[in-house]
Amino acid sequence: MPRCQRWGLRNAHLEATVIDYPRTYFGWSASSPADYADPESGLVVHYNGPATNLGGHSACVSYWKNARNDHVNNRGWADIGYSFGVSTEGAIFEGRGLHRYQAAQGTSSGNANYYSVS
């Protein structure tokens, strides 16, 4: 069962995001097809369960692409469920990105009001 941790963004503003690998790096459209949202309540760190034991950049890229494939083709979501991902090496992968409704929490309110990182 995935676990989540929430952090508030009450007085923080997301003016710029450093993205090491944008959506286009993975062969996806430049912007997510997910609905617009303006999450202001915080950030959810999504724990995906057992250790993935990913060994390096190519394994992380493969994992990220497989996660999107599962979310879109098996779960019927518009896009990968997460706003961003962080590789084992600390690189930031763009998922849905900023200002998009995300799907990592399973609740409409949580998905509209929080960003998610996996």
Side-chain angles (χ1 to χ4, degrees):
M1 171 71 95
R3 290 180 255 167
C4 297
Q5 178 66 47
R6 293 183 180 181
W7 282 279
L9 294 177
R10 292 205 169 107
N11 294 316
H13 297 288
L14 294 172
E15 295 179 17
T17 302
V18 177
I19 299 170
D20 297 304
Y21 296 97
R23 294 176 52 82
T24 54
Y25 177 83
F26 305 101
W28 308 338
S29 62
S31 64
S32 174
D35 290 340
Y36 176 84
D38 192 17
E40 294 182 353
S41 296
L43 172 72
V44 172
V45 176
H46 191 266
Y47 173 70
N48 291 331
T52 55
N53 298 316
L54 298 173
H57 180 73
S58 64
C60 290
V61 168
S62 179
Y63 181 85
W64 194 239
K65 289 172 127 179
N66 288 337
R68 183 178 190 265
N69 183 60
D70 175 59
H71 292 175
V72 172
N73 295 315
N74 295 330
R75 298 177 189 217
W77 298 347
D79 201 355
I80 190 167
Y82 314 112
S83 306
F84 301 95
V86 180
S87 75
T88 58
E89 299 164 331
I92 298 173
F93 292 176
E94 185 177 23
R96 291 185 178 210
L98 295 175
H99 305 293
R100 294 291 181 208
Y101 187 92
Q102 52 92 30
Q105 297 183 67
T107 67
S108 295
S109 175
N111 288 332
N113 295 311
Y114 289 85
Y115 284 109
S116 62
V117 175
S118 177

